[in-house]
Amino acid sequence: MILRTFGWSLAVTAAGLAYAAWQWGWEAFGIVLILSILEISLSFDNAVVNAGILKKMNAFWQKVFLTIGIMVAVFGMRLVFPVLIVAISAKVGPVEAVELAIDNPDRYEDLVTDAHPAIAAFGGMFLLMIFLDFVFEDRDVKWLGRLERPLARLGRIDMLSVCVALIVLLVTAMTFATHAHVSTGHADKAATVLLSGVAGLITYLVVGGLSGYFEDRLEEEEEREHETGEGKGKEKAGAGGKPVSAAGLAGKAAFFLFLYLEVLDASFSFDGVIGAFAITNHIFWMTLGLGIGAMYVRSLTVYLVRQGTLDDYVYLEHGAHYAIGALAAILLVTIQHQISEIITGLIGVLLIAASFLSSVRRNKALAAEEDVSRAPVPV
């Protein structure tokens, strides 16, 4: 099971490291390896959240996520995205941006650093909304009950997540953004942060709203079929008299869930891409190292889904969402202050480890209760 799930990741790791050593030498080998470990440590919470969404999708869309999705993750976010940021910042074409990355890597790094406030605001707001919607929802299973119960009661207020996120964005724009960290020192990026943060919020509301809408439509369709006793293969007339099948609705729901997953993965990758410049400004070393890490995140997502880990360890999803909240806060703080990627990675790993241990203790307690209930009653 482990070899089948992680086989491609292991193969890509071996090929990538061998190519780095052959093409650029042992220094490149070491840096690519470090970047791979960095990406995995930063994105473990991403895998847990992805697994919670991926298990709702059918086998076809899971394969799409693992094929087209990995291409977007590796080449889109780890190679094309930094180039586009530089192209927009320097007002040059993509080809010129690649040439700049190869011929003048220091200037390339400066341009990406200058774009960091906008990137951090967009990603930070998107991740913050994920965290807020999670903690404001009333759930049957609660990890930190004393915190989650009052937050769930507050969550009954309509649009509370959006209000809190906008307040956080305004505070960020008036504090961190006025002395944003750029290549030349510090600059006032309040307007840029506000615009990018609102764009991140809108992206979350649109993509998340559409995926939720079609998912609800699918559930309603399945409930109606169950109540009327009709088979899944039958079609029902939709708007305009055209037949709408349950499979079609599943496709729409899965499509928008796929888009949601891609935007989520992009938001998680922001800190890894930016943090990689602390190790190297060689564009191809970064793409190779971060791409290898992204492969393991995908494999770990599949492993969690196939093993039913989230069902067995019910607090893992809580820990991952708290890690998302921490990452959102860190991204916003890094608009002004530099924070080591080691700290970012450790916070996520510690929160998930704590939620895993709590899940283990819960499972042992439930097993002990079942043993007691099954014990024969003395006569």
Side-chain angles (χ1 to χ4, degrees), residues 23 40 89-90 92 100 112 114 152 160 200 204 227 268 312 337 356:
Q23 182 69 25
I40 295 170
S89 301
V92 298
L100 183 65
V112 175
D114 292 341
L160 180 62
Y204 173 84
E227 291 172 358
F268 269 103
D312 295 335
H337 304 286
F356 175 77

Side-chain angles (χ1 to χ4, degrees), residues 44-45 48-49 134 141-144 148 304 309-324 346-363:
F44 191 85
D45 46 357
V48 176
V49 176
F134 182 85
V141 177
K142 294 178 174 61
W143 180 31
L144 307 176
E148 293 173 7
L304 293 174
T309 305
L310 298 184
D311 296 328
D312 295 335
Y313 303 95
V314 295
Y315 297 140
L316 266 182
E317 201 167 357
H318 293 72
H321 280 85
Y322 282 115
I324 287 176
L346 280 177
I347 290 174
V349 170
L350 289 175
L351 284 169
I352 292 175
S355 63
F356 175 77
L357 292 175
S358 296
S359 300
V360 171
R361 286 196 295 269
R362 175 184 180 273
N363 292 344

Side-chain angles (χ1 to χ4, degrees), residues 45-365:
D45 46 357
N46 188 11
V48 176
V49 176
N50 283 355
I53 300 170
L54 192 65
K55 67 180 182 180
K56 301 177 184 178
M57 302 164 72
N58 60 27
F60 170 77
W61 281 100
Q62 287 183 3
K63 290 180 180 178
V64 171
F65 176 71
L66 297 172
T67 53
I68 298 175
I70 192 62
M71 298 294 289
V72 173
V74 174
F75 295 103
M77 287 308 302
R78 275 73 181 182
L79 177 61
V80 178
F81 171 71
V83 169
L84 288 179
I85 290 296
V86 170
I88 294 170
S89 301
K91 298 180 180 179
V92 298
V95 176
E96 289 84 351
V98 173
E99 292 175 350
L100 183 65
I102 297 172
D103 300 331
N104 192 354
D106 292 333
R107 175 59 180 157
Y108 176 83
E109 179 181 351
D110 289 342
L111 290 172
V112 175
T113 301
D114 292 341
H116 176 66
I119 297 169
F122 181 94
M125 291 305 296
F126 188 91
L127 295 176
L128 180 62
M129 281 298 300
I130 294 173
F131 168 72
L132 291 175
D133 276 351
F134 182 85
V135 296
F136 285 144
E137 183 179 346
D138 190 8
R139 300 175 178 277
D140 295 332
V141 177
K142 294 178 174 61
W143 180 31
L144 307 176
R146 293 182 180 179
L147 175 64
E148 293 173 7
R149 275 189 287 269
L151 287 175
R153 287 194 291 269
L154 285 174
R156 297 170 186 169
I157 303 173
D158 290 337
M159 304 300 290
L160 180 62
S161 297
V162 177
C163 293
V164 172
L166 287 173
I167 291 171
V168 171
L169 178 60
L170 285 173
V171 172
T172 301
M174 292 186 295
T175 53
F176 300 127
T178 57
H179 295 83
H181 174 72
V182 294
S183 60
T184 55
H186 290 88
D188 187 352
K189 294 285 186 178
T192 300
V193 167
L194 275 175
L195 181 63
S196 300
V198 170
L201 179 61
I202 291 173
T203 302
Y204 173 84
L205 293 175
V206 171
V207 178
L210 286 172
S211 63
Y213 168 75
F214 284 110
E215 191 176 354
D216 291 341
R217 286 281 302 274
L218 175 60
E219 291 177 357
E220 291 173 4
E221 183 76 10
E222 290 175 345
E223 288 177 2
R224 284 197 297 269
E225 288 185 352
H226 179 72
E227 291 172 358
T228 58
E230 294 182 1
K232 293 183 179 180
K234 288 190 177 183
E235 295 180 340
K236 298 187 177 184
K242 294 182 179 180
V244 180
S245 66
L249 287 172
K252 292 177 183 178
F255 172 72
F256 283 104
L257 278 176
F258 171 75
L259 291 183
Y260 178 79
L261 273 173
E262 290 305 307
V263 179
L264 176 63
D265 183 72
S267 299
F268 269 103
S269 68
F270 288 154
D271 61 329
V273 172
I274 299 298
F277 282 100
I279 299 172
T280 181
N281 54 16
H282 194 295
I283 182 174
F284 297 116
W285 295 4
M286 282 193 294
T287 302
L288 197 55
L290 297 178
I292 290 172
M295 286 288 295
Y296 279 99
V297 174
R298 284 298 197 280
S299 296
L300 183 58
T301 299
V302 175
Y303 181 80
L304 293 174
V305 172
R306 290 176 177 172
Q307 292 292 103
T309 305
L310 298 184
D311 296 328
D312 295 335
Y313 303 95
V314 295
Y315 297 140
L316 266 182
E317 201 167 357
H318 293 72
H321 280 85
Y322 282 115
I324 287 176
L327 178 57
I330 289 171
L331 278 173
L332 296 177
V333 171
T334 57
I335 292 174
Q336 180 178 358
H337 304 286
Q338 290 183 287
I339 298 177
S340 171
E341 291 71 34
I342 295 175
I343 295 175
T344 305
L346 280 177
I347 290 174
V349 170
L350 289 175
L351 284 169
I352 292 175
S355 63
F356 175 77
L357 292 175
S358 296
S359 300
V360 171
R361 286 196 295 269
R362 175 184 180 273
N363 292 344
K364 289 182 178 179

